[in-house]
Amino acid sequence: MMTEIQYPTAQHRITVSRIADYFKSQHVDTVLLVNSLAREKGTHDSDIDMAILVNPEVGDQAISQIENAWLEFQATDKLLNDYKSSGRFAHIHLDIIDGNFEQEEWEDGVDANFFEVEIGNRLLYSKPLSREGDYFKWLKAQWLPYYDTALQTERLYQSKNAFMYEIEHIPVFIKRQLYFQAYDRLNVAFRKFLQTLFIKNKTYPISYNKWIKEQIVDILRMPELYAALVSIFSINKLESNEIYERALALERLLNEYV
């Protein structure tokens, strides 16, 4: 029996139901509500995020046909357009997914990658709007509660190295008086800190740039760490060495918690 989802507004509920009904007729494996609405954290101005899991034998051409048919339906359906015109942030984000979670290449100087975020939001934090398909059940058995120790060890090593790459570049930018670039690197280092922390704790994250308190306090049960992380971004003077001091504080937290 499906769990009843509490939506922030009746219009959210009606719109999601309309989308779910449309895709139930497309012979897909599972229709998923994802992100804030799935976790019942949405508000009146929350957009609608959904993922449509197709069976593994469905090829790229068939996926393209499903996507094109959806775009045509979305553009012409009155109920969906009523929702989209109800507010500035009333958007519908929908992905057709095949359940093939691929690791991104680790590249120096780029942001944290979203391998764990994608798995978590698709399989752990999502809410099926139809019965759970056999493929969805199989994917959960493969990836939950977490991926295997060998992959965890490899990704933990890579994530820590990616974090240190950002930390070590911050004093270089400060020396060149590139303070905004140094601050940007501190933000990237913070997201890589979160990625490393979650990998260490074998827990899938929700996001690296929002719902931080929920993730640190409620999911990881580390309220004292959250308080320390808030202080990292209390910068009093941008054009100074203070950014690097905050970076070193973040590095100490990594050494303490990872």
Side-chain angles (χ1 to χ4, degrees):
M1 185 174 181
M2 301 300 299
T3 302
E4 184 68 25
I5 300 171
Q6 299 299 315
Y7 292 96
T9 71
Q11 191 166 37
H12 280 90
R13 175 179 54 79
I14 294 169
T15 307
V16 169
S17 178
R18 176 67 165 167
I19 298 170
D21 287 342
Y22 168 79
F23 278 103
K24 286 175 188 175
S25 66
Q26 304 299 309
H27 305 292
V28 300
D29 183 84
T30 309
V31 178
L32 299 166
L33 184 67
V34 298
N35 299 346
S36 60
L37 291 184
R39 301 189 339 272
E40 299 186 357
K41 300 286 186 178
T43 62
H44 182 273
D45 58 357
S46 292
D47 53 16
I48 293 173
D49 299 301
M50 298 179 69
I52 310 302
L53 178 65
V54 299
N55 292 302
E57 63 271 14
V58 175
D60 292 341
Q61 183 176 356
I63 290 177
S64 294
Q65 291 173 348
I66 294 172
E67 290 176 338
N68 291 335
W70 156 248
L71 292 175
E72 182 178 345
F73 173 76
Q74 181 183 187
T76 58
D77 186 79
K78 182 180 184 305
L79 193 149
L80 299 187
N81 281 291
D82 285 346
Y83 166 75
K84 289 187 288 184
S85 63
S86 66
R88 181 181 177 188
F89 303 112
H91 302 297
I92 298 173
H93 303 288
L94 187 144
D95 297 316
I96 313 296
I97 62 173
D98 61 4
N100 183 20
F101 302 112
E102 296 182 345
Q103 298 184 64
E104 303 169 47
E105 291 291 331
W106 294 91
E107 297 182 37
D108 291 337
V110 300
D111 216 325
N113 65 62
F114 288 87
F115 180 63
E116 289 81 11
V117 170
E118 183 180 11
I119 296 172
N121 281 293
R122 299 290 194 246
L123 301 181
L124 180 60
Y125 303 113
S126 64
K127 289 285 180 66
L129 297 174
S130 58
R131 66 170 185 84
E132 292 190 2
D134 292 337
Y135 184 40
F136 182 67
K137 292 177 181 177
W138 183 85
L139 285 171
K140 291 200 300 180
Q142 299 302 307
W143 293 102
L144 302 183
Y146 205 70
Y147 51 66
D148 64 66
T149 301
L151 182 57
Q152 180 205 16
T153 301
E154 176 190 342
R155 289 189 62 79
L156 183 61
Y157 173 79
Q158 297 282 7
S159 186
K160 288 173 69 176
N161 283 347
F163 169 83
M164 288 307 304
Y165 180 91
E166 305 302 335
I167 295 296
E168 291 166 0
H169 272 73
I170 289 174
V172 176
F173 291 127
I174 291 176
K175 186 177 181 180
R176 297 172 60 191
Q177 298 185 339
L178 299 174
Y179 299 107
F180 284 93
Q181 175 69 356
Y183 187 73
D184 177 69
R185 292 298 93 189
L186 178 62
N187 278 273
V188 174
F190 171 71
R191 292 189 285 275
K192 292 182 176 181
F193 170 90
L194 291 178
Q195 181 172 34
T196 308
L197 180 71
F198 274 90
I199 293 173
K200 170 65 177 178
N201 286 276
K202 301 188 74 170
T203 303
Y204 289 115
I206 297 170
S207 173
Y208 297 135
N209 60 2
K210 57 183 178 180
W211 306 108
I212 305 303
K213 187 172 185 178
E214 176 186 349
Q215 295 183 86
I216 301 296
V217 177
D218 298 336
I219 296 178
L220 293 181
R221 306 292 183 186
M222 297 177 180
E224 74 290 342
L225 173 59
Y226 178 75
L229 290 173
V230 169
S231 68
I232 294 293
F233 289 95
S234 299
I235 305 293
N236 295 311
K237 187 176 181 181
L238 183 68
E239 293 188 343
S240 70
N241 203 46
E242 190 175 355
I243 298 172
Y244 186 46
E245 293 170 0
R246 295 292 187 269
L248 292 177
L250 190 61
E251 181 182 356
R252 288 192 292 270
L253 289 173
L254 186 83
N255 291 332
E256 179 180 351
Y257 284 89
V258 179

